[in-house]
Amino acid sequence: MRLTMTDLCTVPPEVLSPSSSQTLEPTLGSQITLNCTVRLPFDEHCNPILSWMKDGHWLGNESSQYTLEEKTWRSDNASEKFMSSLLSVNLTSDENYGVFACLASNITATFTLQRSEAAGHVGAVLAALAVLALLLFVAVIYVKCRLNMLLWYRNHYGELELNDGKLYDAYVSYMNSSDDRKFVNFIVKPQLENRYGYKLFLDDKTILPNSEPSADLIMNVSRCRRLIVVLSNAYLEQDWCNNNFREGLWRLMELSQRPIFIVFQTQYREIVHPAINLLKQHKKAVTLLLWRTGSMTPSSDFWKELCLALPRKVSFQHAMGDPQTQLQEDKDPMLILHSSSLEHRGEPHPEGDLGLRGPIFRGPPTPRVTSSDGPTALAGGTMEEVQLSEGQRNEIDVSDLGSRNYGARTDFYCLVTEDDL
């Protein structure tokens, strides 16, 4: 069966490009070329035409926004014919975007052009600036809140130093000079004891006479969990600081773990003492704190760093706790024979030196015995009737004595005297 010339011309062409409808996203201001290529049986009398439409309207050659180029070639065996139409589109405005259709006989191939933002370095630069700003913000937050975060973590998950036989939290060594006494007694002691609840042992004598620790020093430091040295100019004038500070530093490090040295900023800049350089070299083994102008405020970094160097404090309930540190001077009402040693003594208020803290436990009243005739006799032998007015009660609450925790102590208790036996 032979095909006539008319039959060959009615054979629909095969679209080679595009293989399917395409969606392109060129940027504004660019130029794009749309390639429409078809294949059809060869016949020199068949001359199909490739036409273009945009959004349903025919495109002519009169527009400068479009450039059309057509090509025609045959296969090697001259049995097939190929036609190609290249449409170049200059995208100068939003009106140049749309749906382009290539028509060949009754075959249509479509290209959809959508606008896309220009790819450049602006986005990358903005992203880099955003990352840099984020890192700067994190760095500022770290610098401002680092000590607060460390304190929070230490107070919640830090190691507890209880039941170790220590009676004080820190041993404070300072020079018996006017400035040092004021600094220790009116700044350090009220702040650490009244605000943070630490218990200090103060010593204004030389801790290393003849570069050797005395027996009293060894005993007192062994009762304290930390060692604080107020390293002022007057302190550095001692013989052991001028002659054997390196050896003395090793002695102190043997007596206490990571001793704390406080240096004043005004003196820190002017002091050329070799002890300062030695402490800078051993920052990993000691804690060197600088007292600045703004360190007086309770929220300054100085107190936060000092609290980080001191043991973790634990808050106990009123009727519970470690008897080693809960009562002032380690005195328990059950262990004291005479009430005079536990009479009420006012202590500085946390907000200043004018107020008073709550009362300390008083001892029980003098024991009373009852004679056969009925009147009350005092322990000393003097007879006196004692009547308690309505509503008056004993000064010591003994209701919780059975629940006291005395297992925390390491020494022995003697609840009765030889006279009682």
Side-chain angles (χ1 to χ4, degrees):
M1 182 176 180
R2 298 182 60 187
L3 295 176
T4 61
M5 180 173 45
T6 304
D7 295 333
L8 291 175
C9 291
T10 57
V11 175
E14 178 184 359
V15 180
L16 300 180
S17 177
S19 58
S20 60
S21 299
Q22 290 186 355
T23 300
L24 305 176
E25 296 182 355
T27 59
L28 183 64
S30 62
Q31 184 182 45
I32 188 172
T33 300
L34 306 179
N35 182 9
C36 179
T37 303
V38 298
R39 178 176 59 187
L40 64 158
F42 172 74
D43 189 277
E44 61 183 3
H45 300 286
C46 298
N47 295 314
I49 299 176
L50 298 180
S51 304
W52 288 90
M53 297 182 65
K54 179 183 179 299
D55 298 332
H57 302 282
W58 294 101
L59 292 180
N61 296 330
E62 65 279 358
S63 176
S64 61
Q65 303 295 332
Y66 309 103
T67 303
L68 185 62
E69 179 181 358
E70 294 184 351
K71 296 180 181 180
T72 302
W73 69 94
R74 299 180 178 85
S75 61
D76 295 338
N77 56 6
S79 60
E80 295 177 328
K81 184 178 180 180
F82 299 89
M83 297 185 64
S84 177
S85 178
L86 304 177
L87 179 65
S88 299
V89 182
N90 294 322
L91 302 172
T92 57
S93 64
D94 293 338
E95 298 177 354
N96 301 130
Y97 293 90
V99 179
F100 292 81
C102 174
L103 290 84
S105 298
N106 57 349
I107 301 300
T108 303
T110 58
F111 300 85
T112 303
L113 301 184
Q114 298 179 354
R115 181 175 176 177
S116 176
E117 297 297 333
H121 301 288
V122 177
V125 171
L126 292 178
L129 291 177
V131 173
L132 182 61
L134 180 61
L135 293 177
L136 182 61
F137 175 77
V138 172
V140 172
I141 293 297
Y142 176 79
V143 172
K144 294 294 184 180
C145 304
R146 176 181 61 90
L147 295 177
N148 292 330
M149 291 187 293
L150 291 176
L151 277 174
W152 178 87
Y153 182 83
R154 196 280 304 269
N155 293 335
H156 286 78
Y157 305 103
E159 181 181 358
L160 295 176
E161 300 183 32
L162 297 177
N163 305 334
D164 53 2
K166 306 290 185 179
L167 300 181
Y168 300 92
D169 291 304
Y171 180 102
V172 181
S173 175
Y174 64 100
M175 196 62 186
N176 189 14
S177 63
S178 176
D179 293 338
D180 291 8
R181 284 197 307 269
K182 293 178 181 179
F183 176 74
V184 172
N185 290 279
F186 291 96
I187 297 179
V188 176
K189 186 177 186 294
Q191 187 77 2
L192 292 183
E193 290 193 345
N194 300 337
R195 183 178 180 86
Y196 296 103
Y198 288 107
K199 190 176 179 184
L200 305 180
F201 181 90
L202 306 183
D203 185 10
D204 59 355
K205 302 178 180 62
T206 177
I207 60 176
L208 292 177
N210 301 322
S211 300
E212 291 292 336
S214 62
D216 292 340
L217 172 69
I218 297 176
M219 180 187 67
N220 293 329
V221 173
S222 65
R223 300 167 64 192
C224 305
R225 296 185 175 95
R226 296 292 187 274
L227 171 62
I228 301 177
V229 178
V230 181
L231 205 62
S232 62
N233 275 330
Y235 200 96
L236 291 174
E237 291 176 357
Q238 299 179 86
D239 292 338
W240 73 271
C241 292
N242 288 322
N243 301 327
N244 299 309
F245 185 82
R246 182 183 296 273
E247 182 180 352
L249 180 60
W250 297 129
R251 298 284 188 183
L252 297 180
M253 292 174 61
E254 292 175 356
L255 294 175
S256 177
Q257 59 172 339
R258 198 175 178 85
I260 304 168
F261 292 88
I262 300 177
V263 184
F264 299 97
Q265 184 182 29
T266 54
Q267 302 174 2
Y268 184 77
R269 297 176 178 176
E270 301 173 358
I271 290 179
V272 293
H273 199 280
I276 301 299
N277 296 327
L278 186 62
L279 291 176
K280 292 179 181 179
Q281 297 174 5
H282 296 82
K283 278 189 175 182
K284 295 183 178 180
V286 302
T287 300
L288 183 60
L289 301 181
L290 189 62
W291 176 265
R292 299 178 174 85
T293 305
S295 299
M296 181 66 72
T297 58
S299 60
S300 64
D301 291 345
F302 174 84
W303 299 112
K304 298 175 184 178
E305 294 176 352
L306 183 56
C307 288
L308 284 173
L310 291 174
R312 171 188 172 186
K313 295 303 295 180
V314 181
S315 299
F316 295 100
Q317 298 296 331
H318 177 69
M320 299 176 59
D322 186 356
Q324 293 178 338
T325 57
Q326 186 175 7
L327 300 180
Q328 295 294 325
E329 303 300 334
D330 194 38
K331 294 172 182 174
D332 193 288
M334 292 187 65
L335 307 180
I336 303 304
L337 298 179
H338 304 290
S339 61
S340 59
S341 60
L342 283 177
E343 290 298 327
H344 171 75
R345 292 172 301 179
E347 291 194 9
H349 190 271
E351 300 299 331
D353 295 334
L354 299 179
L356 295 177
R357 285 203 289 181
I360 303 176
F361 283 107
R362 290 173 175 267
T366 306
R368 293 186 289 270
V369 296
T370 304
S371 64
S372 58
D373 297 335
T376 303
L378 297 180
T382 304
M383 307 296 295
E384 179 182 1
E385 287 188 347
V386 180
Q387 293 182 353
L388 297 178
S389 62
E390 185 178 356
Q392 183 180 2
R393 59 182 180 180
N394 200 348
E395 292 178 330
I396 181 170
D397 184 9
V398 298
S399 60
D400 65 332
L401 293 183
S403 62
R404 287 177 174 268
N405 176 22
Y406 293 100
R409 294 191 63 96
T410 57
D411 52 359
F412 295 95
Y413 282 83
C414 181
L415 302 184
V416 295
T417 62
E418 295 182 357
D419 298 337
D420 296 331
L421 296 176

